Amino acid sequence: MNTFLTDLVDSAKYILSMQWYDVVDILLVAGAIYAVLTFIRRTNATKVAQGILILIIALWLSSALGLTVTNFILQQVFSIGIIAVVVLFQPEIRRALERVGSNPMFSFLGRDWGSQALENVIMQTVYACEDMAKSRTGALIVFERYNRLDEQLSSGTAMDAIVSTELLKNIFFDKSPLHDGAVIVKDGRIAAAGCMLPLSKNANLSRDLGMRHRAGIGMSEHSDAVVVIVSEETGGISVAVDGLLKRHLSPDTFEMLLRRELLPADEPDKRITLRDKLRRKMEKKHGENEGDK
């Protein structure tokens, strides 16, 4: 009991003696631990993390039990394992570093499309995808955000065109030479078509997902891009963001998702869809006509 009270008093003295920089230090470490745990949860690193934890426990036990040879071998495994982890998770580590560099806090060189231009881009994309879903026309549309997609842009046919419903439908028409690749929208304009995207290496993806969906997920894993996929088999509309795929979206849900991901965070009416605005306008006009009668 006395030992517990002594430890409690010592802990209280330590807490009272802390300075502001000690608090900052603790918060930074906690943030780093949270980032690592989030990284493990959102990637395929869970089993790898379990294996590393088992090796750490084995290393501690071998040291405590005096197993010199086993301890030496485990130490060598750890020294090589650090390099192996970096090699295995190179794409995820690269993406994390790119996001740190492209964070809006540091993105003074970032691009602002403008709300009006984005409204039109979203509207035209939603209408095009809705029509292509009805006709079972496959489509793959990538919206570049802060991470530059120069490598993917160079793999396609360069364009500089306004985003329009008819143009998107013509590009993905099954007789078009560019329909198999992806369209990349950059700064509110179609920058290239027929682009090749990296395929996802996630082994946990559903087997019913085709190459178009795997390419869309892969692109969202390697960058912060928003990727829209229209299935040729089912006509379903999907959106991939941060390696996560949201499938079978209704037109209204699809539009709201694009607005949430692409419009500025401080946009006051970003959750109000264009259809809602049109519906309200029609109701108001109808009410005025009834009043005239």
Side-chain angles (χ1 to χ4, degrees):
M1 184 66 179
N2 290 333
T3 304
F4 173 74
L5 291 175
T6 303
D7 293 339
L8 189 61
V9 171
D10 291 340
S11 300
K13 288 181 179 178
Y14 178 76
I15 293 173
L16 293 174
S17 65
M18 289 177 60
Q19 302 295 325
W20 65 268
Y21 45 81
D22 295 318
V23 176
V24 173
D25 192 22
I26 292 172
L27 290 176
L28 287 174
V29 173
I33 294 173
Y34 174 78
V36 171
L37 292 177
T38 303
F39 171 78
I40 292 173
R41 183 177 61 84
R42 297 184 64 176
T43 63
N44 294 325
T46 306
K47 295 189 180 298
V48 175
Q50 292 175 353
I52 292 174
L53 181 61
I54 292 173
L55 286 176
I56 291 174
I57 295 173
L59 182 65
W60 175 76
L61 286 175
S62 64
S63 177
L65 297 175
L67 306 176
T68 307
V69 177
T70 303
N71 185 263
F72 173 78
I73 293 173
L74 288 174
Q75 286 180 1
Q76 301 307 310
V77 169
F78 264 99
S79 62
I80 299 172
I82 294 174
I83 301 174
V85 168
V86 173
V87 172
L88 284 172
F89 295 100
Q90 182 268 338
E92 288 82 1
I93 294 172
R94 177 183 174 182
R95 183 179 57 171
L97 292 175
E98 285 178 345
R99 289 189 177 178
V100 170
S102 62
N103 191 290
M105 288 179 59
F106 310 105
S107 59
F108 52 88
L109 295 177
R111 298 172 294 282
D112 182 11
W113 297 1
S115 297
Q116 291 296 329
L118 274 173
E119 289 278 359
N120 183 65
V121 168
I122 292 170
M123 180 182 68
Q124 297 296 329
T125 303
V126 170
Y127 289 159
C129 290
E130 190 173 4
D131 288 346
M132 288 187 289
K134 291 177 181 178
S135 62
R136 301 280 180 95
T137 301
L140 189 56
I141 306 171
V142 180
F143 293 93
E144 181 188 83
R145 292 201 279 188
Y146 286 100
N147 294 156
R148 300 182 67 89
L149 307 178
D150 294 341
E151 183 179 348
Q152 286 73 35
L153 284 167
S154 63
S155 68
T157 300
M159 300 178 65
D160 183 19
I162 296 174
V163 178
S164 69
T165 300
E166 295 306 320
L167 179 55
L168 289 173
K169 289 164 63 176
N170 284 331
I171 289 174
F172 291 111
F173 179 61
D174 59 2
K175 298 296 189 296
S176 168
L178 301 176
H179 78 280
D180 278 336
V183 163
I184 296 181
V185 178
K186 176 179 180 180
D187 297 334
R189 297 176 67 86
I190 296 178
C195 301
M196 298 296 103
L197 305 183
L199 295 178
S200 174
K201 296 181 180 178
N202 188 347
N204 297 321
L205 292 178
S206 175
R207 292 186 178 182
D208 64 344
L209 294 178
M211 298 291 285
R212 187 175 282 111
H213 286 83
R214 292 179 183 275
I217 297 171
M219 187 73 264
S220 70
E221 289 174 345
H222 285 79
S223 71
D224 65 344
V226 178
V227 187
V228 176
I229 307 110
V230 179
S231 173
E232 188 175 356
E233 289 76 20
T234 65
I237 300 174
S238 305
V239 174
V241 182
D242 295 333
L244 301 176
L245 183 68
K246 299 180 181 179
R247 305 177 64 187
H248 308 302
L249 302 175
S250 68
D252 284 341
T253 304
F254 172 47
E255 184 180 340
M256 290 186 67
L257 181 57
L258 286 185
R259 292 171 67 84
R260 186 175 69 243
E261 295 294 338
L262 299 178
L263 283 175
D266 57 352
E267 194 71 21
D269 61 340
K270 66 179 182 177
R271 292 185 179 274
I272 302 175
T273 67
L274 297 173
R275 286 179 174 77
D276 290 335
K277 294 179 181 178
L278 182 61
R279 190 179 300 115
R280 291 177 184 178
K281 186 176 180 180
M282 295 298 292
E283 289 175 354
K284 183 178 179 182
K285 185 176 180 180
H286 180 71
E288 291 175 352
N289 292 337
E290 290 292 331
D292 293 339
K293 293 180 181 179

